[in-house]
Amino acid sequence: MKKIVRYRPEKKTRPYRLKTSPFPVKTLQTTDRQRIGQLTQDLAEVEHKLKHRNEIMEALATQNVESACETLLVKLLKLINLEAGAILLYRREQLSHLVTQGVEDIELIEKDLDQYSVLRRAFVMRKSVQLPVAENMYESAIPVQSPSNGGVVGVIYLKHPFEQFNLEQVGDILDLSRKLGMTLERHLLFHQMEHEKIKTYQLLDSIREAVLYIESSGEQIYANQALLNMFPPKLVSQSQGFRHAYERATSLFEHVDQPDALHDYIGQLMNGEIPGETIELSAFRGNLLLNAYAERIAIANVEWGMMLVLRDVTKEKELDLKQSEFVSIVSHELRTPLSSIMGFTELLMRRSLDGPRQKKYLETIHSETVRLAELIDDILEIQKGEDVSQGTVKKRLDLKRLVYEMRPMFELASSKHRIRVLFEAGDYQMTASEEKMKQLFTNLIMNAIKYSPDGGTIQVRGHMKGSHMVLTVEDEGIGIPEKALPFVFDKFYRADNSDTRKIGGTGLGLAICRMIVMDHGGSIAVQSEEGKGSTFTLQFSTEMTED
């Protein structure tokens, strides 16, 4: 028979149970207190580090780069329990700013210049570098890189008495390096945008035409300096060049003489219609004449707004008007002697006249021919004076000597007049065109002779006044009416009275005198009293000038 053996499981050893004695309980309580104290300490350290990180983040977000770097360095050294370090910032691979604690600035500058230093190695290799500097003393350099292109924009420099950082310290350093790189790039982009904005403002301010930019939303209106100068009151000045003028831009419409036309034009623009032609406007009751045109501003096929450009054409219109008046006056002045010449010539041709009458008519034709030649010469002289390209040769010229040399010519011009030249002591040299100065004195003295029909004394005087010479031409003639004095230097102007009509003339002589004086940087003025004579005063600088 088989023997049946029953299976009996082995007995398991029971776990040791603490006895309920005072000793084990006391040990357990002490261990729990230690663990709770350690946890409390760890929590405080975590809160302390978290506080430092929050302060660093706040500094990076709110402060400028220099201040943020100072805050970051102080907090970083506290986080990793170090006392010496620095943050170096670079711009275009050149050291631009550094913040230090426990390290001399000159030491870091020398390291930055040394290609084998820890700073240059970290900068060139774009990775962290550590080197020993003394027994139980090391230095580390951690590059701060731009997130967009990986270029080094800064370096964190640390001095430490241990060879290796722990993992937590490494994490803190690399995290702050990355955040500093992002901050520096953000600031760089901001400065680049500011630079581009300022450049745009300055470009727009350099445009002579007035520019008004209106965004499609109508919320932003900008005006360049030319527009602000054109339409007072001055709009409030902002940071640079271009001005934000939303609140007071209505002054543009207040001063335009056709505000409805301008409103309609801008309304068309805001509705997407860009008229091809310009519109003509006036402002300040016709004292300012404008041409306006507009351009749509679109970026990537998205319409942002429109730009209205106003050109000041006041001077152009005035020039056109003056030219038209000049042509009209010249035509009239030329027609008068031509009519006389033609009329007397026809009489001589059709009629048989006795000797005395024939001689009288021929003398009239001759005088009118002379007058016509003088008029043409004066017109050509006026045109030459207005054309700045028609330059004359200027050199050092003694006006005192020139007037004395011209005196005999003036004495021969009239037997009824006495020419006196009186110059006080002084140096009457100036940079001038001799040809033009001769023409100036010829016009003034011959004018004095012409308007002193009864004869008399004509005096040319000179005296020095500082670095200027003052010359006067004085006559004892018929004088100029007070109401005509403001206009005597205008082209073709002649005082309208019986005495001047008898004398005749082209009305261009004094206009030519004024152009010559202005071309030489001088001034000319007149004082006169009817029946007693006139005094013309010239003033020139004696200082050396370049032509």
Side-chain angles (χ1 to χ4, degrees):
M1 292 181 61
K2 290 182 179 181
K3 187 177 178 180
I4 298 174
V5 180
R6 293 185 179 180
Y7 171 74
R8 292 182 179 180
E10 296 181 357
K11 292 183 179 180
K12 294 183 179 180
T13 56
R14 295 183 179 181
Y16 173 77
R17 293 180 181 179
L18 292 174
K19 295 182 179 179
T20 56
S21 63
F23 179 76
V25 172
K26 184 176 180 181
T27 303
L28 179 62
Q29 290 175 349
T30 303
T31 304
D32 288 343
R33 287 196 187 98
Q34 290 175 345
R35 291 177 63 191
I36 292 172
Q38 185 64 40
L39 288 173
T40 303
Q41 183 179 353
D42 292 345
L43 183 59
E45 290 180 1
V46 170
E47 289 179 352
H48 182 67
K49 290 184 177 181
L50 184 60
K51 180 182 177 182
H52 282 310
R53 288 193 178 93
N54 289 337
E55 290 174 350
I56 290 172
M57 293 301 297
E58 183 179 357
L60 292 175
T62 60
Q63 298 177 3
N64 59 44
V65 174
E66 291 78 10
S67 300
C69 286
E70 291 179 6
T71 303
L72 188 147
L73 179 62
V74 172
K75 301 301 179 183
L76 174 61
L77 293 178
K78 288 182 178 179
L79 280 175
I80 58 179
N81 298 316
L82 293 180
E83 296 180 354
I87 295 178
L88 298 89
L89 302 182
Y90 292 86
R91 181 172 296 174
R92 296 176 182 174
E93 298 188 357
Q94 297 294 323
L95 180 63
S96 62
H97 185 74
L98 60 88
V99 177
T100 63
Q101 180 174 314
V103 185
E104 294 294 333
D105 291 1
I106 188 65
E107 178 184 348
L108 292 173
I109 294 173
E110 290 176 351
K111 289 180 181 292
D112 182 65
L113 296 174
D114 182 5
Q115 60 179 334
Y116 299 108
S117 69
V118 68
L119 292 178
R120 296 311 301 175
R121 290 185 182 187
F123 187 94
V124 173
M125 294 189 295
R126 300 187 182 184
K127 65 180 182 179
S128 300
V129 177
Q130 177 178 301
L131 293 175
V133 291
E135 188 176 354
N136 296 325
M137 184 58 65
Y138 301 87
E139 60 180 359
S140 296
I142 301 91
V144 178
Q145 295 179 269
S146 168
S148 61
N149 57 24
V152 177
V153 292
V155 174
I156 298 175
Y157 174 81
L158 299 171
K159 269 190 175 182
H160 45 95
F162 46 81
E163 185 174 0
Q164 291 185 341
F165 292 98
N166 60 41
L167 290 177
E168 186 177 1
Q169 290 174 326
V170 171
D172 288 336
I173 295 170
L174 294 180
D175 181 57
L176 292 180
S177 172
R178 185 175 63 256
K179 289 175 179 176
L180 179 59
M182 295 173 61
T183 300
L184 291 175
E185 177 151 313
R186 186 172 66 249
H187 278 272
L188 179 62
L189 291 174
F190 175 77
H191 286 301
Q192 287 177 344
M193 290 174 61
E194 284 295 309
H195 176 73
E196 291 299 321
K197 186 189 296 184
I198 292 171
K199 185 169 71 174
T200 302
Y201 293 165
Q202 291 176 344
L203 285 172
L204 289 167
D205 270 345
S206 67
I207 298 174
R208 295 182 180 180
E209 283 78 14
V211 177
L212 182 70
Y213 172 70
I214 304 176
E215 287 190 354
S216 298
S217 61
E219 296 178 356
Q220 297 291 331
I221 298 177
Y222 295 92
N224 73 340
Q225 188 61 50
L227 186 71
L228 303 184
N229 294 338
M230 188 179 289
F231 291 98
K234 294 289 185 71
L235 305 179
V236 179
S237 174
Q238 298 297 317
S239 58
Q240 287 288 343
F242 235 15
R243 313 304 197 266
H244 177 215
Y246 179 71
E247 291 82 2
R248 301 176 65 185
T250 51
S251 64
L252 172 64
F253 304 104
E254 292 172 0
H255 296 297
V256 171
D257 298 334
Q258 303 86 10
D260 294 338
L262 183 57
H263 273 291
D264 294 342
Y265 189 77
I266 293 180
Q268 287 181 307
L269 301 174
M270 299 307 293
N271 291 330
E273 303 174 14
I274 302 292
E277 70 282 355
T278 62
I279 62 169
E280 294 187 355
L281 302 168
S282 63
F284 304 107
R285 299 180 180 179
N287 292 319
L288 180 65
L289 304 177
L290 303 168
N291 274 351
Y293 66 92
E295 294 291 342
R296 182 183 287 113
I297 305 299
I299 301 175
N301 295 325
V302 177
E303 186 171 324
W304 283 77
M306 70 90 189
M307 187 173 289
L308 180 67
V309 181
L310 303 173
R311 286 187 62 244
D312 183 358
V313 295
T314 307
K315 291 183 178 179
E316 295 177 18
K317 295 291 185 181
E318 289 177 353
L319 182 60
D320 290 343
L321 181 61
K322 286 182 179 179
Q323 288 177 342
S324 177
E325 291 176 351
F326 183 75
V327 171
S328 176
I329 293 171
V330 168
S331 300
H332 172 74
E333 293 292 331
L334 290 175
R335 189 179 296 115
T336 303
L338 283 174
S339 298
S340 298
I341 292 170
M342 289 179 63
F344 285 109
T345 304
E346 288 179 359
L347 284 174
L348 290 172
M349 291 173 60
R350 294 180 182 179
R351 295 184 183 181
S352 188
L353 302 173
D354 54 28
R357 185 176 295 183
Q358 186 178 16
K359 182 181 179 182
K360 180 181 178 182
Y361 287 174
L362 288 172
E363 288 176 350
T364 303
I365 292 172
H366 179 264
S367 65
E368 290 297 323
T369 304
V370 171
R371 180 186 170 195
L372 182 62
E374 290 177 352
L375 180 61
I376 293 173
D377 289 341
D378 287 344
I379 291 172
L380 293 175
E381 194 64 38
I382 286 284
Q383 185 182 16
K384 189 190 299 183
E386 290 180 340
D387 187 358
V388 293
S389 64
Q390 298 273 343
T392 55
V393 177
K394 295 179 182 178
K395 60 183 180 181
R396 295 301 288 177
L397 182 67
D398 190 337
L399 289 192
K400 178 180 177 180
R401 179 186 58 79
L402 180 70
V403 173
Y404 273 108
E405 289 177 353
M406 296 176 69
R407 179 181 175 179
M409 179 185 68
F410 299 134
E411 290 174 338
L412 291 173
S414 174
S415 60
K416 296 192 296 182
H417 294 81
R418 180 186 176 196
I419 310 298
R420 294 185 62 193
V421 180
L422 301 170
F423 276 79
E424 296 180 6
D427 183 5
Y428 292 88
Q429 291 194 52
M430 65 174 287
T431 303
S433 163
E434 183 173 353
E435 176 190 352
K436 293 296 182 183
M437 286 295 114
K438 285 183 177 179
Q439 184 179 10
L440 172 63
F441 287 107
T442 299
N443 282 5
L444 289 176
I445 295 173
M446 295 305 292
N447 204 60
I449 292 173
K450 185 188 298 184
Y451 288 95
S452 304
D454 297 330
T457 301
I458 296 173
Q459 298 189 73
V460 181
R461 298 176 179 269
H463 69 274
M464 300 302 299
K465 186 178 180 181
S467 61
H468 289 75
M469 67 176 79
V470 180
L471 308 173
T472 59
V473 178
E474 183 179 350
D475 64 58
E476 298 173 345
I478 62 176
I480 304 170
E482 184 178 357
K483 64 179 181 180
L485 287 175
F487 311 106
V488 292
F489 296 107
D490 292 350
K491 300 168 191 173
F492 297 106
Y493 182 80
R494 300 177 71 247
D496 188 13
N497 58 42
S498 58
D499 293 331
T500 56
R501 281 195 292 271
K502 291 177 183 177
I503 295 170
T506 64
L508 292 173
L510 292 179
I512 294 172
C513 289
R514 182 177 64 174
M515 284 198 308
I516 294 173
V517 171
M518 292 180 66
D519 182 53
H520 287 77
S523 63
I524 183 170
V526 60
Q527 291 178 323
S528 184
E529 186 176 347
E530 281 191 273
K532 293 187 177 182
S534 304
T535 301
F536 288 86
T537 303
L538 308 172
Q539 188 165 313
F540 295 105
S541 172
T542 59
E543 295 179 353
M544 292 285 290
T545 58
E546 294 183 3
D547 188 13

